[in-house]
Structure formats: structure tokens, C-alpha cells
Amino acid sequence: GIQVEQSPPDLILQEGANSTLRCNFSDSVNNLQWFHQNPWGQLINLFYIPSGTKQNGRLSATTVATERYSLLYISSSQTTDSGVYFCAVELMMGAQKLVFGQGTRLTINP
Amino acid sequence: KAGVTQTPRYLIKTRGQQVTLSCSPISGHRSVSWYQQTPGQGLQFLFEYFSETQRNKGNFPGRFSGRQFSNSRSEMNVSTLELGDSALYLCASSLAAGLNTEAFFGQGTRLTVV
């Protein structure tokens, strides 16, 4: 089956720093989403980005579908950005069935 | 517009018992899928329902089952609970497969099996 790999697994930064999280996938996909899991476990939607670039405030994401990767950029990090970030892909021929990466745990220190 | 609602939020059960979890999707969404999250296996797809029909199933034993009602609400059932079933169970809804399939998740049900 499709492999989804996220890097780095852990990232520790000081408040104000910028970060780049990467998601590689091994097959063509119909959909790619980035999520932030809050301390209570809920997955918060960040981006729905099968291809191209999107920005939302301090966050932006780019997916290069032909090269099978996506990047999530966080600028001017705040302590509230801490948590686990997941990318998830939906196979080109599949229905609504997301395959998740193992996540990147981001810790922002004050 | 209300989000995805999962009940209950927390549950403690004994080995061998069964449990039913509920998920109400966003109004107008017809696809509901379920995921299990554990520290060891991460987030894994359980099954997906669309218009009361199971369309996809993940690699889980038959003890895990689900259904969807005509109002798109979904339930999942786990019978003969095992310690390894302790997990966060997340439900997601989306508008419809094949169109905009952006998934929105509920807050999850945290199941502890003792």
C-alpha cells in the first residue's frame, strides 16, 4: 500500500523561529490534507491541498503532486503552535479513506 | 454550523464487553469514516460509510463493525473488547466522495479497556 513519511519526527524550536515540515508519499493521490492535533486529540484542519500552494496567516503549504511531496511552513512560531502535525493522503482511485503519516511533534519553547 | 460530534468523549470498559460509539457528521455531509489512533500504530482507517452503505474497510478484525443511518449519523461497535482496543477513536465526515472530499474530524472518543 501507499507509504506516507513525515519528517522530521520531532522538532524543538524557540518562539519566533520558522519551521518546515515535510510529507513524502509513494503513489499518486487524489487529496492531501494537513492537520494539527490539539492536546485533547481533535484533528484540526489546516490545509486541503492536493496540489499548489496555499497560505493562511503564518501557515502556508505547498504540494508538488508530480514529485510526491508536500511541505508545511510555519513562520514566527508561537507556543500555541506546539503539538503534532499530520499529513494524510487519499489515494487517486479510492474513496474517502485517508492514509496518515506518523506525524511531526513540534515543540515551541518560550 | 455545528461540527462533527462524537459521543461519548470518554469510556472505560472491561475486557470481553462490547461498546458502541456514535458520530454525527456535519449537516449535509453524507460520508462518514472512522479511524483508530494508538501510540504504536498511529492513525489507522477502520471503515467508511456513504448513503448507509459501507464502501471501504480497513484491516481490522470482524469484532469492529459499523453502520450508518438515513440521517448520515454513524455508529461503530466493538465486540469482545481486548486490552489492545484501548485507543482514541476518531470520526470524520466529508461532503461526498469523488467531489470535494475534505475530511473534518470530531473530538474523538477515548476508550480504555481494563
Side-chain angles (χ1 to χ4, degrees):
Chain A
I2 189 169
Q3 303 297 315
V4 181
E5 296 180 356
Q6 291 187 243
S7 60
D10 292 279
L11 189 58
I12 301 173
L13 298 170
Q14 292 298 121
E15 202 167 22
N18 301 328
S19 58
T20 301
L21 282 58
R22 187 177 180 102
C23 173
N24 292 335
F25 43 96
S26 61
D27 206 342
S28 298
V29 298
N30 183 52
N31 170 20
L32 186 144
Q33 291 187 245
W34 283 98
F35 298 94
H36 178 207
Q37 190 164 39
N38 69 20
W40 298 273
Q42 187 173 9
L43 291 171
I44 305 300
N45 288 45
L46 297 178
F47 293 101
Y48 172 76
I49 185 166
S51 62
T53 298
K54 291 185 177 180
Q55 181 155 8
N56 184 6
R58 297 181 295 104
L59 274 62
S60 63
T62 294
T63 297
V64 184
T66 53
E67 296 186 24
R68 299 181 183 171
Y69 74 88
S70 183
L71 301 174
L72 176 68
Y73 305 96
I74 305 174
S75 65
S76 304
S77 298
Q78 302 175 357
T79 56
T80 52
D81 294 330
S82 295
V84 183
Y85 289 79
F86 290 99
C87 74
V89 302
E90 178 186 308
L91 294 178
M92 186 69 79
M93 298 303 293
Q96 205 274 319
K97 169 189 170 181
L98 294 173
V99 178
F100 284 82
Q102 290 300 307
T104 291
R105 181 174 297 277
L106 177 64
T107 302
I108 305 297
N109 292 321
Chain B
K1 195 173 187 181
V4 180
T5 304
Q6 291 188 245
T7 57
R9 293 290 312 280
Y10 302 92
L11 209 47
I12 299 175
K13 289 287 188 179
T14 303
R15 270 181 303 175
Q17 288 186 313
Q18 74 167 15
V19 66
T20 299
L21 312 182
S22 179
C23 173
S24 293
I26 293 171
S27 178
H29 283 195
R30 297 172 62 193
S31 173
V32 174
S33 53
W34 290 87
Y35 296 82
Q36 180 197 64
Q37 185 177 26
T38 60
Q41 299 299 316
L43 279 149
Q44 293 186 289
F45 171 79
L46 279 157
F47 27 66
E48 182 223 355
Y49 287 87
F50 180 78
S51 293
E52 303 178 65
T53 301
Q54 185 182 91
R55 296 200 309 172
N56 281 288
K57 190 176 193 308
N59 189 25
F60 279 82
R63 301 185 296 107
F64 292 81
S65 62
R67 59 178 175 169
Q68 186 180 33
F69 302 95
S70 58
N71 62 357
S72 294
R73 189 178 71 86
S74 177
E75 290 180 345
M76 69 163 281
N77 183 275
V78 188
S79 62
T80 319
L81 284 165
E82 300 177 359
L83 294 179
D85 297 333
S86 295
L88 178 65
Y89 290 88
L90 292 163
C91 163
S93 79
S94 63
L95 192 61
L99 302 175
N100 182 336
T101 58
E102 184 175 7
F104 296 86
F105 282 81
Q107 292 180 299
T109 294
R110 193 168 294 278
L111 171 65
T112 302
V113 182
V114 298

